[in-house]
């Protein structure tokens, strides 16, 4: 099938795909119990698209309206199911629907009853806080401390108390805020979005610092990309610029940066914690936690060296929009490349990096360096697939728009320290066939039964062997995909912007589409599985559906 498809993205929805793509595949996944497959949301009013429900609705425990723009996954605490959205449904009387807000809504996990709303008023400068986009960060929860942390639309890191006793007039108590624009000078490109990560007492987050509205200049070139705060106090502990002392290099950001850090926890293969941060320059930077200090360790260029950035989606160089995934079983780190959805379709790369090999190489390099020198110099080992050298075979520092410039007699050579396990660019990257190409992505991959699933922005769903990168099958969903796949047992769920939720059986490597359920509105985020109550929470752009798995099991 030879074709080219064009997607019209409403200008108000801009490219904040930042939202769905920063979804983690971190809900409980594999297990002996499969997720629900026999459900239907029922009918929607044709003109307003409002959910009305009828006798055709099946397996629905409850439904609640959200705002009218919802990009991220629901999150569970002991008592609540929480989700980021905007003020399109005006749950609080003091904030009518005409007031544009970023909102975090909390509902009773069992009944769906509204419990509280956190509200953040919009910034006046729309360059940094695009209208109607709401709150885009997925909170991280500590049930023991009864706190949640997230990043709001005002570029503030926020800690809330979710102790039910602290909720007053349907609003939670704010424990602390850290204003990144004020404290570290970051200037986000259209929206701040990152899912924070907690490791010990560190709270790590990206800053969303980015380019100006001309998509070229970097207004805050010396501002950090990633920071660590004290999770209890909100005090700044570390930034990724600490390694450079007073000689901070100019930023090489290509666009905004909206992906999220992840943890590679210490295990049999890796005896210490590592933090992976996907940066807006198209690289991932990995930091090692040494004696409560965060130090550079290794890095990886996610773009081919001959790729180039032209802006407006015209080039072949990408940034990292999605959150990487680490598999301890395979000791592999999986990441994909993409661009702001406004850039449209384009080619991309799906990488698998051998973490054990990267660690062994980085440790060996440190051992060969004078004691303490590597830490002080801020150097981290480059484990990219290839390197760039000049005509004298001297290493060439990576440039912003083009890594390897043949007009300057630069050339690409194999990297002896490469930690690449495999890369995937489609069934046939040089083909003109649409389904042979791996396209830009926003979502995070999901691993099930040694297979890895990903949906690309062009609407193709790819299933690969997680260890080798061999493609088992490709399925065309016929609409753009912003969301991440997730699984419960052997069932993989993945939605698209037509509102179609695809249910695949992942027991074998054969493509087995169990069901396609239309949820009545675009799906920008992955479902969330509540194992305790056997409930699958499915967010659409406007509603949160609670699907009753227990009823299906009984029947």
């Amino acid at each position: 099938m030879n074709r080219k498809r064009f997607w019209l993205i409403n200008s108000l929805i801009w490219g904040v795909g930042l939202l769905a793509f920063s979804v983690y595949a971190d809900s409980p996944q594999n297990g002996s119990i499969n997720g629900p497959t026999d459900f239907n949301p029922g009918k929607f009013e044709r003109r307003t698209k409002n959910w009305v429900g009828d006798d055709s609705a099946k397996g629905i425990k409850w439904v609640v309206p959200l705002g009218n723009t919802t990009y991220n996954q629901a999150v569970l605490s002991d008592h609540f199911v929480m989700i980021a959205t905007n003020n399109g449904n005006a749950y609080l009387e003091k904030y009518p629907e005409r007031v544009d807000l970023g909102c975090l809504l909390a509902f009773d996990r069992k009944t769906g009853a509204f419990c509280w709303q956190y509200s953040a008023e919009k910034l006046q400068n729309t360059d940094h806080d695009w209208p109607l986009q709401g709150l885009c960060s997925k909170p991280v929860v500590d049930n023991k401390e009864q706190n949640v942390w997230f990043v709001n639309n005002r570029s503030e890191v926020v800690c809330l108390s979710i102790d039910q006793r602290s909720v007053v007039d349907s609003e939670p108590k704010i424990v602390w805020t850290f204003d990144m624009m004020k404290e570290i000078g970051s200037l986000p490109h259209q929206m701040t979005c990152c899912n924070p990560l907690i490791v010990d007492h560190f709270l790590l987050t990206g800053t969303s610092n980015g380019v100006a509205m001309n998509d070229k200049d970097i207004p805050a070139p010396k501002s950090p990309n990633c920071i660590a705060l004290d999770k209890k106090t909100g005090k700044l502990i570390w930034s990724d610029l600490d390694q450079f002392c007073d000689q901070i290099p100019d930023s090489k950001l290509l666009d905004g940066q909206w992906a999220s850090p992840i943890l590679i926890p210490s295990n049999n293969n890796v005896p210490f914690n590592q933090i992976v941060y996907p940066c807006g320059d198209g690289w991932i930077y990995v930091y090692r936690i040494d004696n409560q200090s965060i130090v550079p360790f290794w890095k990886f260029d996610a773009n081919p060296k001959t790729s180039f950035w032209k802006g407006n989606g015209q080039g072949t160089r990408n940034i990292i929009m999605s959150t990487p995934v680490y598999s301890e079983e395979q000791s592999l780190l999986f990441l994909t490349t993409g661009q702001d959805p406004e850039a449209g379709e384009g080619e991309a790369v799906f990488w698998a990096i051998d973490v054990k090999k990267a660690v062994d190489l980085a440790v060996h390099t440190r051992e060969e360096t004078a004691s303490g020198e590597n830490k002080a110099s801020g150097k981290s080992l480059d484990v990219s697939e290839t390197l760039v050298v000049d005509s004298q075979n001297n290493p060439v520092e990576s440039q912003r728009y083009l890594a390897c410039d043949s007009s300057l007699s630069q050339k690409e050579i194999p990297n002896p320290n490469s930690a690449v396990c495999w890369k995937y660019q489609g069934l046939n990257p040089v083909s003109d066939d649409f389904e042979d190409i791996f396209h830009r992505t926003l979502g995070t991959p999901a691993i099930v039964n040694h297979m890895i699933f990903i949906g690309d922005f062009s609407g193709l769903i790819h299933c690969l062997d997680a260890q080798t990168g061999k493609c088992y099958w490709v399925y065309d969903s016929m609409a753009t995909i912003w969301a991440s796949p997730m699984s419960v047992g052997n069932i993989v769920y993945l939605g698209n912007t037509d509102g179609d939720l695809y249910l695949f059986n992942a027991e074998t490597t054969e493509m087995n589409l169990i069901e396609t359920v239309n949820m009545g509105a675009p799906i920008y985020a992955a479902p969330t599985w509540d194992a305790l109550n056997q409930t699958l929470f499915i967010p659409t752009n406007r509603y949160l559906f609670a699907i009753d798995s227990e009823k299906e099991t009984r029947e």
Side-chain angles (χ1 to χ4, degrees):
M1 187 162 44
N2 224 340
R3 60 196 165 124
K4 173 112 175 139
R5 295 188 293 192
F6 298 89
W7 308 107
L8 176 63
I9 301 177
N10 187 304
S11 59
L12 290 179
I13 297 186
W14 76 295
V16 242
L18 359 170
L19 330 178
F21 56 80
S22 43
V23 169
Y24 284 114
D26 62 357
S27 298
Q29 293 187 355
N30 297 328
S32 58
I33 299 176
N34 287 332
T37 58
D38 188 16
F39 57 90
N40 192 300
K43 292 186 177 180
F44 295 81
E45 205 277 328
R46 181 172 294 180
R47 183 179 63 85
T48 65
K49 305 299 182 183
N50 289 334
W51 181 77
V52 292
D54 62 355
D55 292 342
S56 67
K58 184 177 183 181
I60 308 297
K61 184 178 290 188
W62 50 260
V63 182
V64 292
L66 304 174
N68 48 36
T69 302
T70 305
Y71 290 113
N72 225 323
Q73 190 179 23
V75 175
L76 305 177
S77 70
D78 283 344
H79 304 290
F80 307 120
V81 53
M82 296 168 284
I83 192 164
T85 185
N86 67 5
N87 194 42
N89 200 60
Y91 275 94
L92 299 184
E93 185 176 350
K94 72 176 185 177
Y95 289 124
E97 187 177 348
R98 67 176 181 273
V99 179
D100 194 4
L101 300 170
C103 300
L104 180 66
L105 301 179
F107 303 94
D108 185 279
R109 188 166 159 174
K110 293 182 178 179
T111 67
F114 171 70
C115 298
W116 51 261
Q117 173 179 305
Y118 164 83
S119 309
E121 296 185 5
K122 302 290 280 186
L123 295 172
Q124 292 185 351
N125 189 338
T126 58
D127 291 358
H128 308 308
D129 191 2
W130 205 249
L132 301 179
Q133 298 311 300
L135 194 150
C136 304
S137 170
K138 191 178 79 170
V140 58
V141 181
D142 187 321
N143 283 309
K144 183 178 180 181
E145 295 186 10
Q146 289 288 286
N147 286 337
V148 299
W149 296 262
F150 56 91
V151 179
N152 70 14
N153 51 284
R154 300 176 61 86
S155 203
E156 297 169 332
V157 187
V158 180
C159 176
L160 293 183
S161 171
I162 56 172
D163 188 324
Q164 296 181 80
R165 295 167 296 182
S166 67
V167 176
V168 178
D169 296 330
S170 299
E171 293 187 281
K173 177 184 175 182
I174 298 174
V175 179
W176 56 257
T177 62
F178 180 87
D179 188 332
M180 292 188 286
M181 294 176 70
K182 177 182 177 181
E183 299 296 336
I184 60 173
S186 61
L187 293 173
H189 179 67
Q190 296 186 297
M191 177 57 66
T192 302
C193 178
C194 185
N195 302 332
L197 170 70
I198 290 181
V199 182
D200 300 326
H201 68 290
F202 295 115
L203 181 137
L204 295 111
T205 183
T207 65
S208 294
N209 191 47
V211 298
M213 291 302 290
N214 64 9
D215 293 327
K216 180 179 179 181
D217 298 331
I218 303 174
K222 306 294 186 182
S223 181
N225 304 301
C226 183
I227 60 173
L229 308 177
D230 185 298
K231 72 172 186 177
K232 291 185 178 295
T233 66
K235 180 181 178 181
L236 180 65
I237 299 174
W238 170 88
S239 88
D240 62 345
L241 300 185
D242 290 352
Q243 58 186 293
F244 298 110
C245 300
D246 295 328
Q247 298 179 359
I248 299 173
D250 288 336
S251 175
K252 295 184 176 69
L253 295 178
L254 297 169
D255 197 359
Q257 46 183 345
W258 304 290
S260 302
I262 67 161
L263 172 69
I264 298 179
S266 60
N267 53 59
N268 292 334
N269 292 323
V270 183
F272 41 76
N273 287 331
Q274 298 172 87
I275 306 300
V276 180
Y277 178 66
C279 191
D281 59 4
W283 288 67
I284 62 165
Y285 296 92
V286 179
Y287 301 90
R288 173 176 171 173
I289 299 182
D290 276 341
N291 299 320
Q292 299 303 304
S293 296
I294 302 174
V295 295
F297 197 35
W298 56 272
K299 61 185 179 180
F300 182 85
D301 186 357
N303 282 292
K305 298 300 186 185
T306 55
S307 63
F308 57 93
W309 180 271
K310 289 185 65 174
N312 298 316
Q314 298 304 305
T316 56
R317 194 166 183 81
N318 294 315
I319 60 173
I320 304 170
M321 299 287 287
S322 61
T323 301
V325 168
Y326 173 66
S327 168
E328 182 176 339
E329 182 177 358
Q330 283 117 351
S331 190
L332 293 177
L333 181 72
F334 302 97
L335 69 146
T336 61
T337 61
Q339 289 193 33
D340 176 337
E342 281 192 335
E345 299 180 16
E347 61 190 63
V349 187
F350 191 169
W351 297 96
I353 303 170
D354 187 331
V355 173
K356 185 177 186 304
K357 183 176 181 180
V359 167
D360 289 345
L361 289 166
V363 168
H364 179 69
T365 301
R366 280 177 169 240
E367 289 174 348
E368 288 187 340
T369 306
S371 177
E373 183 180 330
N374 200 38
K375 293 182 183 180
S377 66
K379 296 291 185 180
S380 53
L381 181 67
D382 185 349
V383 299
S384 305
E385 182 181 39
T386 60
L387 302 173
V388 177
V389 296
D390 61 19
S391 59
Q392 304 300 316
N393 287 326
N394 297 313
V396 174
E397 183 181 354
S398 179
Q399 301 302 304
R400 185 181 180 192
Y401 294 135
L402 176 62
C404 184
D405 190 342
S406 59
S407 68
L408 299 177
S409 299
Q410 296 174 356
K411 61 182 179 180
E412 184 178 7
I413 63 171
N415 181 3
N417 291 322
S418 173
V420 172
C421 178
W422 55 258
K423 71 175 179 181
Y424 172 74
Q425 295 174 284
L427 288 167
N428 183 4
V430 298
S431 169
D432 291 330
D433 194 323
F434 177 81
E435 294 186 8
D436 280 345
I437 307 298
F438 181 67
H439 304 266
R440 294 167 180 162
T441 61
L442 304 179
T444 292
I447 305 167
V448 189
N449 298 333
H450 304 286
M451 292 177 282
I452 189 160
F453 294 79
I454 186 66
D456 68 33
F457 178 69
S458 299
L460 299 181
I461 301 170
H462 305 256
C463 174
L464 312 179
D465 184 290
Q467 189 65 52
T468 67
K470 174 186 176 181
C471 182
Y472 290 125
W473 51 262
V474 176
Y475 180 85
D476 190 352
S477 77
M478 302 301 294
T480 54
I481 294 177
W482 296 36
S484 301
M486 65 84 66
S487 66
V488 183
N490 294 312
I491 309 302
V492 177
Y493 303 86
L494 180 56
N496 68 14
T497 55
D498 274 353
D500 292 326
L501 183 68
Y502 292 88
L503 283 64
F504 295 96
N505 188 325
E507 288 184 283
T508 71
T509 59
E510 299 293 324
M511 199 277 287
N512 184 356
L513 179 60
I514 301 171
E515 188 65 74
T516 303
V517 182
N518 189 273
M519 300 302 296
I523 299 171
Y524 292 111
T528 299
W529 175 239
D530 180 351
L532 181 64
N533 296 301
Q534 293 292 287
T535 302
L536 185 72
F537 295 104
I538 302 173
T540 71
N541 201 33
R542 300 183 59 194
Y543 290 95
L544 180 63
F545 291 86
I547 308 300
D548 188 354
S549 183
E550 286 185 326
K551 182 178 180 181
E552 182 176 326
T553 302
R554 290 193 298 270
E555 292 177 349

